[in-house]
Amino acid sequence: MAPDDISRREAQRLRGLAEAARVSRTFEILAENGALWVWGDQDEILFTEDAKRRTLLPVWPYAAVAQLEHEGEVDGEHAIRIPVRVFLDEWLPQLREDDADIAIFPVEERSAATLTLDEFRSRLTAALRLN
């Protein structure tokens, strides 16, 4: 397995973590692997909304956990790997223009946390420094 691939069993274990543990583990994994995962198809990335109708971009630490979240959904959609430096430098400015926040490691459509772009940048930058 590649460093950013995990077994279905490990993906299920991570999905079962409490929300705070999913958040901290997500940032550790992003820093270790240098990538995060979003969901979409060849044309666009999937966004969602929360109860307050805020636009959210769900992110996952591994493709396997994103795939479990979307099992049986639309054909052609898949996990998309984004290097963390590209995400920080290119995606965050675009997300700011789109007025979107980040949904961390959703499981059954419940995010472990919803972070503003500044909060996400701060947490990820700190994790990268520790790694």
Side-chain angles (χ1 to χ4, degrees):
M1 266 185 222
D4 54 6
D5 287 339
I6 59 170
S7 69
R8 184 178 178 94
R9 182 176 180 183
E10 178 63 7
Q12 290 284 24
R13 187 191 71 74
L14 289 172
R15 285 171 49 95
L17 294 174
E19 290 174 352
R22 283 201 329 264
V23 172
S24 62
R25 191 67 189 116
T26 293
F27 284 103
E28 291 169 4
I29 294 165
L30 299 185
E32 289 168 12
N33 293 338
L36 59 82
W37 296 84
V38 297
W39 193 258
D41 61 24
Q42 67 184 28
D43 297 319
E44 62 186 9
I45 301 301
L46 177 75
F47 285 81
T48 188
E49 287 185 343
D50 65 8
K52 298 175 186 173
R53 303 200 45 86
R54 286 184 300 180
T55 300
L56 303 174
L57 175 66
V59 300
W60 292 271
Y62 292 110
V65 290
Q67 290 164 345
L68 286 173
E69 184 64 17
H70 293 90
E71 266 185 340
E73 292 191 16
V74 179
D75 283 343
E77 289 184 354
H78 57 277
I80 300 167
R81 185 182 189 275
I82 311 295
V84 294
R85 290 292 172 199
V86 170
F87 193 83
L88 289 171
D89 296 341
E90 298 174 21
W91 284 62
L92 286 184
Q94 181 60 51
L95 291 169
R96 190 170 308 284
E97 287 180 24
D98 295 338
D99 196 28
D101 289 329
I102 307 288
I104 305 293
F105 198 156
V107 171
E108 297 177 7
E109 299 182 17
R110 289 183 50 103
S111 299
T114 299
L115 302 179
T116 66
L117 302 179
D118 292 335
E119 290 168 333
F120 183 86
R121 178 184 294 281
S122 177
R123 293 279 307 260
L124 184 52
T125 301
L128 289 168
R129 272 192 232 113
L130 292 174
N131 195 23

